[in-house]
Amino acid sequence: METRFFNPKIEKLSPSELRVLQFKKLKTVLRRVYQKVPFYREKLKEAGINLSKIKTLSDLKELPFTTKEDLFVDYPFGLLAEPLEKVVRLHTSSGTTGKPKAIFFSKKDIWAQAELIARALVMTGSTSQDILQNSMTYGLFTGALVMHYGAELLGMLVIPAGPGNTERQIELMRTFGTTCVHMTPSYALYVATVIQGKGLKPGVDIKLKRAYLGAEPYSEETRRKIEEMLKVDVYNCYGLSEMGGPGVAFECQFKKGLHLWEDAFIAEIIDPKTGMPVKPGEVGELVLTTLNRTAMPLIRYRTRDLTYAFEEPCPCGRTHIKIARIIGRADDMFIVRGVNIFPQQIEAVLMGIKGVAQNYQIILEGLDEMIVKVEIDRDFFDGRIERLLKLRDEITEKLKAVIQVRPKVELVEPGTLPVSEGKAKRVIDRRTL
Ligand code: DLL
């Protein structure tokens, strides 16, 4: 694939030029939050920070973190750095506290994020001739609207399908010749299964070229499965509402790590326990500072997402740092019999096993029991019980080898487990511990 750029000047800045740009923007952001956001003024004062002492980018690590809890301190408007008349949009994202996080956008924020998306779409080979079926949820969730604006900025034809009603999704794909879709990976697996079940031929009846999948973690095995089933290139798209939604980091054509736009964010990877930077290439929590956002800038925001950075330059020519696909969220990790487990480890094992269909669920019960319910291909339910038992044993042993805990594996027919159109809920914890 030929490498094209939406904003070549910025995308190809040399690493040293990028650092200069970041530092210049950082100074402006710090000055703004100090003047305009009482919460940050107090926080910086409390930490004894004198902004004139911030002389290089590495001084950033002297500044205090912003946490999800901080978003609720002067809820909902307390972190605004612009007067309300300059704020044009609200998005929310469910928090751990029950109240949703309220994230505000100025006009500038909306178009700045749209540009990050447009860059990413071009980076993966899309052009204004492509037709994007946007099957994320429209509404308070950033997923659909933010992508929508980015795709329109590039000039794509956007079909604002929203999620669900899979029959209609397929109908839209066939009628309008959809070439790209944007959805969650769990929904993409489901749609792929329905397309297969109808006997439709990808490439013939359905002309998809690219699937932009994000909003929840997924494994390389899931990517491969969707690519095979739909005959598409799957690109991973990462983002979070607090940073403007999707488009914070995105895979290029080489699919080896996600470029994180460093003219828009400063990324740090820290040890979640100590708050100190990890060694290059080590896994840690991603911490982001916004450089462009005007309505609600955030300094050293702890995403709770675990990843690592790639050191080597990317053959696509973009200089912006690459992060690995999100390994898990610190919040999603669960502990069974003393072992730390991420749902994604289980997903990676399952999606690599022949016979496993698209859906699974993890149930934690009793004192510390772990049940993994797995949908498997329909032809396994043909009465040959030994074949079923063999598959069950294979799944159990492969899971045990990776997660160190032997789960109880239950095989179920395809279509039995709940399908999520938005983010999948993989773990149900009913333990009585
Ligand atoms: O999920 C924004 C988004 C929409 C990203 C559409 C990509 C596509 P939130 O609802 O605020 O925003 O949830 C953010 O979702 O901190 C991650 O834990 C997780 N997440 C998002 N993208 C990915 C991804 C949107 N590609 C939270 N891989 C983040 C893994 C992801 N996890």
Side-chain angles (χ1 to χ4, degrees), residues 311-322:
E311 295 294 299
E312 61 275 9
C314 185
C316 81
R318 287 171 188 83
T319 46
H320 298 238
I321 189 182
K322 281 198 298 189

Side-chain angles (χ1 to χ4, degrees), residues 93 136 141-143 182 214-217 236-242 245-246 305 326 329 423:
S93 160
M136 288 274 185
F141 177 49
T142 52
H182 178 221
E216 62 189 16
N236 195 342
C237 167
Y238 167 77
L240 57 163
S241 319
E242 300 89 309
D305 292 324
I326 302 298
R329 272 168 81 84
K423 296 186 194 238

Side-chain angles (χ1 to χ4, degrees), residues 72-101:
F72 295 96
V73 174
D74 290 324
Y75 188 80
F77 297 120
L79 285 177
L80 281 187
E82 292 278 21
L84 217 45
E85 75 221 40
K86 288 265 176 84
V87 177
V88 298
R89 194 192 291 169
L90 163 74
H91 278 294
T92 67
S93 160
S94 46
T96 37
T97 59
K99 262 196 271 182
K101 285 169 248 160

Side-chain angles (χ1 to χ4, degrees), residues 335 363-369 428-433:
I335 303 177
I363 299 169
L364 308 175
E365 267 186 359
L367 282 177
D368 214 1
E369 290 308 315
I428 298 174
D429 195 343
R430 302 193 202 116
R431 283 178 291 189
T432 46
L433 282 175

